[in-house]
Amino acid sequence: MSNFFIILAAGTTGVALAILLLHQRRARRRSAAEVDAWKLRLERDLKQAREVRNSLLDALGDAFLIVDTNANIRFANAAARALFGQRELIDRPVREAFIDPRLADAVIRCQATGEPVQSRVVFSQQTSPLGDLETRGFNAWIIDAAQLANLPSGTHSTRVIIRDVTAEHQLEQVRKDFVANASHELRTPLAIIQGYLENLIDDDVIKEPAMARRFLSVMRKHTERISRIVEDMLVISRLESGEVNTLKIEQFPFRSCIQDMIERLESVIRNQQAEVVIAMPDSGLVIHGDRFYWTQVLFNLVENALKQNPHNHVRVEIGCKAVGENVEIWVSDNGVGIPSADLPHIFRRFFRVEKHHSQQEIKGTGLGLSIVKRAIEAHGGTIGVTSVPGHETKFHIAVPHERR
Ligand code: ADP
Protein backbone atom coordinates (compact mmCIF):
# COMPACT_ATOMS: atom_id res chain seq x y z
CA MET A 1 0.00 0.00 0.00
CA SER A 2 2.71 2.30 1.10
CA ASN A 3 4.61 1.30 -1.97
CA PHE A 4 1.55 2.04 -3.98
CA PHE A 5 1.35 5.48 -2.40
CA ILE A 6 5.01 6.02 -2.91
CA ILE A 7 4.66 5.09 -6.55
CA LEU A 8 1.51 7.23 -6.87
CA ALA A 9 3.14 10.14 -5.17
CA ALA A 10 6.15 9.74 -7.37
CA GLY A 11 3.91 9.38 -10.41
CA THR A 12 1.85 12.42 -9.45
CA THR A 13 4.90 14.51 -8.86
CA GLY A 14 6.26 13.35 -12.21
CA VAL A 15 3.02 14.21 -13.96
CA ALA A 16 2.81 17.53 -12.11
CA LEU A 17 6.38 18.24 -13.07
CA ALA A 18 5.68 17.22 -16.61
CA ILE A 19 2.57 19.42 -16.68
CA LEU A 20 4.50 22.33 -15.17
CA LEU A 21 7.28 21.94 -17.70
CA LEU A 22 4.73 21.71 -20.49
CA HIS A 23 3.02 24.85 -19.17
CA GLN A 24 6.27 26.69 -18.89
CA ARG A 25 7.29 25.66 -22.37
CA ARG A 26 3.87 26.62 -23.70
CA ALA A 27 3.98 29.92 -21.82
CA ARG A 28 7.43 30.60 -23.21
CA ARG A 29 6.30 29.55 -26.64
CA ARG A 30 3.18 31.67 -26.30
CA SER A 31 5.04 34.73 -25.10
CA ALA A 32 7.60 34.28 -27.89
CA ALA A 33 4.71 34.00 -30.35
CA GLU A 34 3.09 37.05 -28.79
CA VAL A 35 6.30 39.00 -29.03
CA ASP A 36 6.65 37.94 -32.67
CA ALA A 37 3.04 38.97 -33.37
CA TRP A 38 3.57 42.24 -31.56
CA LYS A 39 6.75 42.83 -33.56
CA LEU A 40 4.93 42.06 -36.78
CA ARG A 41 2.13 44.42 -35.83
CA LEU A 42 4.63 47.11 -34.95
CA GLU A 43 6.48 46.68 -38.23
CA ARG A 44 3.21 46.75 -40.15
CA ASP A 45 2.09 49.91 -38.31
CA LEU A 46 5.46 51.52 -38.89
CA LYS A 47 5.33 50.61 -42.57
CA GLN A 48 1.84 52.05 -42.84
CA ALA A 49 2.84 55.24 -41.04
CA ARG A 50 5.86 55.57 -43.35
CA GLU A 51 3.64 55.03 -46.40
CA VAL A 52 1.15 57.65 -45.17
CA ARG A 53 4.02 60.08 -44.50
CA ASN A 54 5.54 59.40 -47.92
CA SER A 55 2.26 59.79 -49.77
CA LEU A 56 1.61 63.06 -47.94
CA LEU A 57 5.04 64.36 -48.86
CA ASP A 58 4.62 63.02 -52.41
CA ALA A 59 1.41 65.06 -52.67
CA LEU A 60 3.42 68.27 -52.22
CA GLY A 61 3.91 70.19 -55.46
CA ASP A 62 7.35 71.34 -54.33
CA ALA A 63 10.45 69.16 -54.20
CA PHE A 64 11.09 68.10 -50.59
CA LEU A 65 14.29 66.47 -49.35
CA ILE A 66 15.78 65.49 -46.00
CA VAL A 67 19.55 65.83 -45.77
CA ASP A 68 21.56 64.38 -42.87
CA THR A 69 24.43 66.01 -40.96
CA ASN A 70 26.93 64.64 -43.48
CA ALA A 71 25.03 66.40 -46.27
CA ASN A 72 23.76 63.11 -47.68
CA ILE A 73 20.20 62.95 -48.98
CA ARG A 74 18.05 60.64 -46.84
CA PHE A 75 14.63 61.29 -48.31
CA ALA A 76 13.26 62.74 -51.56
CA ASN A 77 9.56 63.10 -52.38
CA ALA A 78 7.99 62.46 -55.80
CA ALA A 79 8.42 66.10 -56.95
CA ALA A 80 12.12 65.95 -56.03
CA ARG A 81 12.57 62.66 -57.88
CA ALA A 82 10.83 64.11 -60.93
CA LEU A 83 12.87 67.32 -60.72
CA PHE A 84 16.09 65.38 -60.66
CA GLY A 85 15.04 63.20 -63.56
CA GLN A 86 14.41 60.04 -61.48
CA ARG A 87 18.16 59.75 -60.79
CA GLU A 88 19.23 57.95 -57.63
CA LEU A 89 19.22 60.53 -54.83
CA ILE A 90 19.11 58.56 -51.59
CA ASP A 91 22.47 58.41 -49.76
CA ARG A 92 24.08 60.72 -52.30
CA PRO A 93 25.81 63.92 -51.17
CA VAL A 94 23.86 67.08 -52.11
CA ARG A 95 26.84 68.53 -53.94
CA GLU A 96 26.85 65.52 -56.23
CA ALA A 97 23.07 65.27 -56.65
CA PHE A 98 22.35 68.98 -57.23
CA ILE A 99 25.18 69.51 -59.72
CA ASP A 100 24.77 73.29 -59.72
CA PRO A 101 26.79 74.49 -56.69
CA ARG A 102 24.35 77.36 -56.03
CA LEU A 103 21.65 74.90 -54.94
CA ALA A 104 23.93 72.82 -52.71
CA ASP A 105 25.45 75.99 -51.21
CA ALA A 106 22.14 76.95 -49.60
CA VAL A 107 21.97 73.57 -47.83
CA ILE A 108 25.62 73.63 -46.74
CA ARG A 109 25.26 77.22 -45.48
CA CYS A 110 22.16 76.27 -43.49
CA GLN A 111 23.99 73.31 -41.94
CA ALA A 112 27.06 75.39 -41.11
CA THR A 113 25.17 78.24 -39.44
CA GLY A 114 22.10 76.42 -38.16
CA GLU A 115 20.06 79.29 -39.63
CA PRO A 116 17.36 78.88 -42.28
CA VAL A 117 18.56 79.83 -45.78
CA GLN A 118 16.38 80.89 -48.70
CA SER A 119 17.91 81.72 -52.03
CA ARG A 120 16.63 82.28 -55.55
CA VAL A 121 18.58 80.63 -58.32
CA VAL A 122 18.01 81.58 -61.94
CA PHE A 123 19.35 79.27 -64.59
CA SER A 124 19.83 81.11 -67.79
CA GLN A 125 19.48 79.49 -71.17
CA GLN A 126 19.27 75.77 -71.16
CA THR A 127 20.01 74.37 -67.73
CA SER A 128 17.82 73.05 -64.96
CA PRO A 129 18.90 71.91 -61.47
CA LEU A 130 20.09 68.71 -63.04
CA GLY A 131 21.69 70.23 -66.07
CA ASP A 132 18.87 68.93 -68.30
CA LEU A 133 18.19 70.72 -71.54
CA GLU A 134 15.35 73.16 -71.27
CA THR A 135 13.65 75.06 -74.04
CA ARG A 136 12.06 77.78 -71.92
CA GLY A 137 15.06 80.10 -72.13
CA PHE A 138 15.57 80.31 -68.39
CA ASN A 139 14.05 78.93 -65.25
CA ALA A 140 14.02 80.12 -61.68
CA TRP A 141 13.97 78.22 -58.41
CA ILE A 142 13.70 79.10 -54.75
CA ILE A 143 15.67 76.80 -52.49
CA ASP A 144 14.64 76.88 -48.87
CA ALA A 145 16.72 74.97 -46.29
CA ALA A 146 16.07 74.79 -42.53
CA GLN A 147 17.33 72.57 -39.72
CA LEU A 148 14.99 70.02 -38.18
CA ALA A 149 16.25 70.11 -34.61
CA ASN A 150 15.22 67.89 -31.68
CA LEU A 151 14.40 64.83 -33.72
CA PRO A 152 13.76 61.76 -31.53
CA SER A 153 17.08 60.29 -32.67
CA GLY A 154 18.86 63.43 -31.48
CA THR A 155 20.18 64.08 -34.99
CA HIS A 156 19.97 67.45 -36.74
CA SER A 157 18.71 66.80 -40.25
CA THR A 158 17.99 69.57 -42.73
CA ARG A 159 14.77 69.81 -44.69
CA VAL A 160 15.08 71.29 -48.15
CA ILE A 161 12.24 72.63 -50.28
CA ILE A 162 12.87 73.51 -53.93
CA ARG A 163 10.10 75.52 -55.60
CA ASP A 164 9.78 76.27 -59.30
CA VAL A 165 9.14 80.02 -59.58
CA THR A 166 9.78 80.29 -63.31
CA ALA A 167 6.28 81.60 -64.09
CA GLU A 168 6.52 84.37 -61.45
CA HIS A 169 10.04 85.19 -62.60
CA GLN A 170 8.91 85.42 -66.22
CA LEU A 171 6.04 87.71 -65.25
CA GLU A 172 8.38 89.92 -63.28
CA GLN A 173 10.72 90.01 -66.26
CA VAL A 174 7.86 90.91 -68.62
CA ARG A 175 6.86 93.77 -66.27
CA LYS A 176 10.45 95.04 -66.10
CA ASP A 177 10.76 94.83 -69.89
CA PHE A 178 7.45 96.64 -70.27
CA VAL A 179 8.55 99.54 -68.09
CA ALA A 180 11.97 99.66 -69.82
CA ASN A 181 10.42 99.51 -73.30
CA ALA A 182 7.70 102.01 -72.47
CA SER A 183 10.24 104.48 -71.09
CA HIS A 184 12.38 104.01 -74.18
CA GLU A 185 9.42 104.46 -76.55
CA LEU A 186 8.30 107.61 -74.71
CA ARG A 187 11.77 109.05 -74.39
CA THR A 188 12.33 109.24 -78.17
CA PRO A 189 9.37 111.53 -79.04
CA LEU A 190 9.93 113.53 -75.84
CA ALA A 191 13.56 114.18 -76.77
CA ILE A 192 12.47 115.30 -80.24
CA ILE A 193 9.87 117.69 -78.81
CA GLN A 194 12.42 119.05 -76.34
CA GLY A 195 14.92 119.66 -79.17
CA TYR A 196 12.39 121.58 -81.23
CA LEU A 197 11.32 123.61 -78.18
CA GLU A 198 14.93 124.61 -77.53
CA ASN A 199 15.25 125.72 -81.16
CA LEU A 200 12.05 127.70 -80.95
CA ILE A 201 12.86 129.47 -77.72
CA ASP A 202 16.66 129.62 -77.41
CA ASP A 203 17.47 130.09 -81.10
CA ASP A 204 14.60 132.52 -81.65
CA VAL A 205 13.07 130.40 -84.41
CA ILE A 206 9.75 131.59 -83.01
CA LYS A 207 10.33 134.87 -84.83
CA GLU A 208 10.24 133.07 -88.20
CA PRO A 209 6.60 132.05 -88.56
CA ALA A 210 7.05 129.56 -91.42
CA MET A 211 9.85 127.70 -89.69
CA ALA A 212 8.07 127.90 -86.31
CA ARG A 213 4.92 126.42 -87.85
CA ARG A 214 6.94 123.53 -89.32
CA PHE A 215 8.56 122.87 -85.94
CA LEU A 216 5.21 122.98 -84.16
CA SER A 217 3.63 120.52 -86.58
CA VAL A 218 6.53 118.08 -86.01
CA MET A 219 6.02 118.51 -82.28
CA ARG A 220 2.30 117.84 -82.67
CA LYS A 221 3.04 114.60 -84.53
CA HIS A 222 5.23 113.41 -81.68
CA THR A 223 2.77 114.38 -78.95
CA GLU A 224 0.15 112.38 -80.84
CA ARG A 225 2.51 109.44 -80.75
CA ILE A 226 3.04 109.83 -77.01
CA SER A 227 -0.68 109.94 -76.34
CA ARG A 228 -1.26 106.85 -78.50
CA ILE A 229 1.43 104.92 -76.62
CA VAL A 230 -0.05 105.98 -73.27
CA GLU A 231 -3.57 105.08 -74.42
CA ASP A 232 -2.43 101.65 -75.66
CA MET A 233 -0.58 101.00 -72.42
CA LEU A 234 -3.68 101.87 -70.42
CA VAL A 235 -5.79 99.49 -72.50
CA ILE A 236 -3.24 96.71 -71.94
CA SER A 237 -3.05 97.34 -68.23
CA ARG A 238 -6.87 97.36 -67.99
CA LEU A 239 -7.01 94.04 -69.80
CA GLU A 240 -4.24 92.60 -67.66
CA SER A 241 -5.77 93.77 -64.40
CA GLY A 242 -7.94 90.64 -64.49
CA GLU A 243 -10.81 92.59 -62.96
CA VAL A 244 -14.16 90.98 -63.60
CA ASN A 245 -15.72 94.27 -64.65
CA THR A 246 -13.09 95.00 -67.31
CA LEU A 247 -15.40 93.55 -69.96
CA LYS A 248 -18.94 94.75 -70.51
CA ILE A 249 -20.49 91.63 -71.92
CA GLU A 250 -23.47 91.93 -74.24
CA GLN A 251 -24.86 90.22 -77.32
CA PHE A 252 -24.40 92.03 -80.59
CA PRO A 253 -24.29 91.22 -84.30
CA PHE A 254 -20.67 90.87 -85.40
CA ARG A 255 -21.51 92.65 -88.64
CA SER A 256 -22.14 95.90 -86.71
CA CYS A 257 -18.64 95.68 -85.29
CA ILE A 258 -17.18 95.25 -88.78
CA GLN A 259 -19.18 98.24 -90.00
CA ASP A 260 -17.89 100.45 -87.15
CA MET A 261 -14.35 99.49 -87.97
CA ILE A 262 -14.80 100.10 -91.73
CA GLU A 263 -16.27 103.53 -91.03
CA ARG A 264 -13.21 104.48 -88.99
CA LEU A 265 -10.82 103.26 -91.69
CA GLU A 266 -12.85 104.36 -94.71
CA SER A 267 -10.57 107.17 -95.86
CA VAL A 268 -7.45 104.98 -95.61
CA ILE A 269 -9.18 102.18 -97.53
CA ARG A 270 -10.19 104.64 -100.23
CA ASN A 271 -6.81 106.38 -100.44
CA GLN A 272 -4.94 103.09 -100.73
CA GLN A 273 -7.49 101.64 -103.14
CA ALA A 274 -7.62 98.63 -100.89
CA GLU A 275 -10.32 95.98 -101.17
CA VAL A 276 -12.12 94.84 -98.03
CA VAL A 277 -14.17 91.63 -98.28
CA ILE A 278 -16.50 90.23 -95.62
CA ALA A 279 -17.13 86.50 -95.41
CA MET A 280 -19.86 85.53 -92.98
CA PRO A 281 -22.96 83.32 -92.90
CA ASP A 282 -26.04 84.92 -94.56
CA SER A 283 -27.83 84.79 -91.23
CA GLY A 284 -25.01 86.82 -89.69
CA LEU A 285 -23.36 85.91 -86.41
CA VAL A 286 -24.09 87.05 -82.90
CA ILE A 287 -21.14 87.61 -80.57
CA HIS A 288 -21.30 87.41 -76.83
CA GLY A 289 -18.63 89.81 -75.60
CA ASP A 290 -17.44 93.36 -75.12
CA ARG A 291 -18.31 95.26 -78.26
CA PHE A 292 -15.70 97.97 -77.60
CA TYR A 293 -12.83 95.47 -77.48
CA TRP A 294 -14.09 93.47 -80.47
CA THR A 295 -14.17 96.65 -82.57
CA GLN A 296 -10.66 97.43 -81.32
CA VAL A 297 -9.46 93.91 -82.26
CA LEU A 298 -10.81 94.23 -85.80
CA PHE A 299 -9.53 97.79 -86.12
CA ASN A 300 -5.98 96.87 -85.07
CA LEU A 301 -5.82 93.83 -87.38
CA VAL A 302 -7.26 95.57 -90.45
CA GLU A 303 -5.30 98.78 -89.80
CA ASN A 304 -2.10 96.69 -89.67
CA ALA A 305 -2.92 95.04 -93.00
CA LEU A 306 -3.50 98.47 -94.53
CA LYS A 307 -0.58 100.35 -93.03
CA GLN A 308 1.94 97.63 -93.85
CA ASN A 309 0.82 97.77 -97.49
CA PRO A 310 0.32 101.43 -98.36
CA HIS A 311 1.10 100.98 -102.06
CA ASN A 312 -0.01 97.40 -102.75
CA HIS A 313 -3.78 97.78 -103.34
CA VAL A 314 -4.06 95.14 -100.68
CA ARG A 315 -7.06 92.82 -100.39
CA VAL A 316 -8.23 92.27 -96.82
CA GLU A 317 -10.72 89.58 -95.87
CA ILE A 318 -12.65 89.59 -92.59
CA GLY A 319 -14.50 86.37 -91.93
CA CYS A 320 -16.37 84.54 -89.22
CA LYS A 321 -18.28 81.30 -88.74
CA ALA A 322 -19.64 79.15 -85.94
CA VAL A 323 -17.72 75.91 -85.43
CA GLY A 324 -19.14 73.68 -82.70
CA GLU A 325 -19.08 75.64 -79.44
CA ASN A 326 -16.70 78.23 -80.87
CA VAL A 327 -16.86 81.22 -83.11
CA GLU A 328 -13.96 81.40 -85.55
CA ILE A 329 -12.91 84.79 -86.83
CA TRP A 330 -10.13 85.57 -89.24
CA VAL A 331 -8.53 88.60 -90.83
CA SER A 332 -6.27 87.93 -93.78
CA ASP A 333 -4.44 89.99 -96.36
CA ASN A 334 -2.28 89.36 -99.38
CA GLY A 335 0.37 91.96 -98.55
CA VAL A 336 4.06 91.97 -97.58
CA GLY A 337 3.47 89.49 -94.77
CA ILE A 338 5.56 88.67 -91.73
CA PRO A 339 8.91 86.84 -92.03
CA SER A 340 8.71 83.40 -90.41
CA ALA A 341 11.55 84.27 -87.98
CA ASP A 342 9.42 87.11 -86.59
CA LEU A 343 6.16 85.19 -86.28
CA PRO A 344 6.84 83.79 -82.76
CA HIS A 345 7.43 87.34 -81.41
CA ILE A 346 4.66 89.18 -83.16
CA PHE A 347 2.33 89.46 -80.11
CA ARG A 348 5.09 90.73 -77.82
CA ARG A 349 4.73 94.26 -76.52
CA PHE A 350 6.58 96.87 -78.58
CA PHE A 351 7.67 94.27 -81.11
CA ARG A 352 7.83 95.55 -84.66
CA VAL A 353 9.25 93.68 -87.64
CA GLU A 354 12.70 95.17 -88.22
CA LYS A 355 12.19 95.20 -91.99
CA HIS A 356 8.85 97.01 -91.67
CA HIS A 357 10.10 99.32 -88.94
CA SER A 358 12.62 100.86 -91.31
CA GLN A 359 9.73 102.18 -93.37
CA GLN A 360 9.67 105.45 -91.50
CA GLU A 361 6.23 106.46 -92.70
CA ILE A 362 4.51 103.49 -91.04
CA LYS A 363 2.96 104.66 -87.80
CA GLY A 364 2.72 102.30 -84.90
CA THR A 365 3.49 101.68 -81.28
CA GLY A 366 4.20 97.96 -81.43
CA LEU A 367 1.36 97.50 -78.95
CA GLY A 368 -1.54 96.84 -81.35
CA LEU A 369 -1.21 93.06 -81.49
CA SER A 370 -0.58 92.83 -77.73
CA ILE A 371 -3.92 94.53 -77.20
CA VAL A 372 -5.57 92.18 -79.70
CA LYS A 373 -4.16 89.09 -77.95
CA ARG A 374 -5.08 90.25 -74.46
CA ALA A 375 -8.59 91.27 -75.51
CA ILE A 376 -9.19 87.86 -77.05
CA GLU A 377 -7.77 86.04 -74.06
CA ALA A 378 -10.00 88.11 -71.77
CA HIS A 379 -12.91 86.65 -73.79
CA GLY A 380 -11.57 83.12 -73.19
CA GLY A 381 -10.29 82.78 -76.75
CA THR A 382 -7.03 82.20 -78.61
CA ILE A 383 -5.30 83.84 -81.55
CA GLY A 384 -2.69 82.54 -83.97
CA VAL A 385 -1.06 83.79 -87.14
CA THR A 386 0.31 82.25 -90.31
CA SER A 387 2.08 84.15 -93.04
CA VAL A 388 3.38 83.49 -96.51
CA PRO A 389 4.77 86.93 -97.44
CA GLY A 390 3.22 88.30 -100.61
CA HIS A 391 0.59 85.59 -100.64
CA GLU A 392 -1.41 85.43 -97.43
CA THR A 393 -1.07 86.63 -93.83
CA LYS A 394 -3.89 85.31 -91.71
CA PHE A 395 -4.78 86.01 -88.08
CA HIS A 396 -7.19 83.33 -86.85
CA ILE A 397 -9.20 83.65 -83.67
CA ALA A 398 -11.32 81.09 -81.81
CA VAL A 399 -13.60 82.13 -78.95
CA PRO A 400 -16.32 80.25 -77.11
CA HIS A 401 -19.77 81.22 -78.39
CA GLU A 402 -21.09 81.73 -74.89
CA ARG A 403 -18.65 83.13 -72.38
CA ARG A 404 -18.24 80.62 -69.55
P1 ADP B 1 2.24 98.39 -84.66
O1 ADP B 1 1.68 99.44 -83.79
O2 ADP B 1 3.66 98.59 -85.01
O3 ADP B 1 1.38 98.09 -85.84
P2 ADP B 1 1.45 95.77 -83.79
O4 ADP B 1 1.65 95.12 -82.47
O5 ADP B 1 0.06 95.99 -84.25
O6 ADP B 1 2.27 97.10 -83.73
O7 ADP B 1 2.20 94.91 -84.87
C1 ADP B 1 3.52 94.52 -84.65
C2 ADP B 1 4.25 94.38 -85.94
O8 ADP B 1 3.72 93.24 -86.65
C3 ADP B 1 4.06 95.52 -86.89
O9 ADP B 1 4.96 96.56 -86.61
C4 ADP B 1 4.36 94.88 -88.23
O10 ADP B 1 5.73 94.85 -88.44
C5 ADP B 1 3.85 93.43 -88.03
N1 ADP B 1 2.52 93.17 -88.64
C6 ADP B 1 1.35 93.11 -88.00
N2 ADP B 1 0.33 92.82 -88.84
C7 ADP B 1 0.88 92.72 -90.05
C8 ADP B 1 0.36 92.43 -91.38
N3 ADP B 1 -0.93 92.20 -91.59
N4 ADP B 1 1.25 92.38 -92.38
C9 ADP B 1 2.55 92.59 -92.18
N5 ADP B 1 3.11 92.85 -90.97
C10 ADP B 1 2.28 92.91 -89.93
Side-chain angles (χ1 to χ4, degrees), residues 300-301 304-305 307-309 333 336-338 346 351-353 356 363-370 393 395:
N300 287 5
L301 292 176
N304 273 349
K307 74 184 177 191
Q308 297 300 334
N309 299 286
D333 69 75
V336 288
I338 303 163
I346 207 75
F351 182 87
R352 304 185 75 197
V353 174
H356 300 165
K363 285 190 197 156
T365 59
L367 290 171
L369 288 180
S370 299
T393 296
F395 287 87

Side-chain angles (χ1 to χ4, degrees), residues 66-87:
I66 299 278
V67 177
D68 68 14
T69 31
N70 299 321
N72 289 322
I73 298 171
R74 307 309 300 236
F75 175 82
N77 74 345
R81 296 193 298 275
L83 176 64
F84 290 94
Q86 304 298 346
R87 277 221 244 157

Side-chain angles (χ1 to χ4, degrees), residues 115-134:
E115 294 296 322
V117 174
Q118 249 206 15
S119 65
R120 178 189 280 243
V121 179
V122 179
F123 296 97
S124 55
Q125 291 143 17
Q126 300 196 314
T127 47
S128 77
L130 240 205
D132 290 357
L133 282 186
E134 282 276 342

Side-chain angles (χ1 to χ4, degrees), residues 127-230:
T127 47
S128 77
L130 240 205
D132 290 357
L133 282 186
E134 282 276 342
T135 47
R136 284 187 289 179
F138 64 81
N139 47 70
W141 305 85
I142 289 211
I143 179 153
D144 177 353
Q147 295 259 307
L148 291 174
N150 303 325
L151 291 180
S153 56
T155 53
H156 287 256
S157 300
T158 308
R159 67 114 181 95
V160 183
I161 297 170
I162 305 177
R163 183 170 305 144
D164 184 352
V165 288
T166 307
E168 290 91 321
H169 187 79
Q170 268 170 344
L171 209 65
E172 212 177 286
Q173 210 57 39
V174 167
R175 293 230 163 92
K176 277 189 197 154
D177 288 353
F178 187 38
V179 173
N181 288 335
S183 321
H184 173 80
E185 291 293 322
L186 291 172
R187 209 182 290 138
T188 315
L190 272 173
I192 296 171
I193 293 170
Q194 206 171 356
Y196 278 102
L197 274 174
E198 276 166 17
N199 288 158
L200 277 171
I201 298 162
D202 301 343
D203 305 341
D204 267 351
V205 175
I206 205 144
K207 289 183 184 147
E208 299 166 43
M211 185 86 96
R213 177 170 283 279
R214 201 169 62 77
F215 280 20
L216 286 170
S217 65
V218 175
M219 284 164 61
R220 181 165 68 185
K221 204 179 89 194
H222 288 283
T223 44
E224 277 166 8
R225 182 169 167 76
I226 291 175
S227 54
R228 178 138 186 210
I229 292 175
V230 171

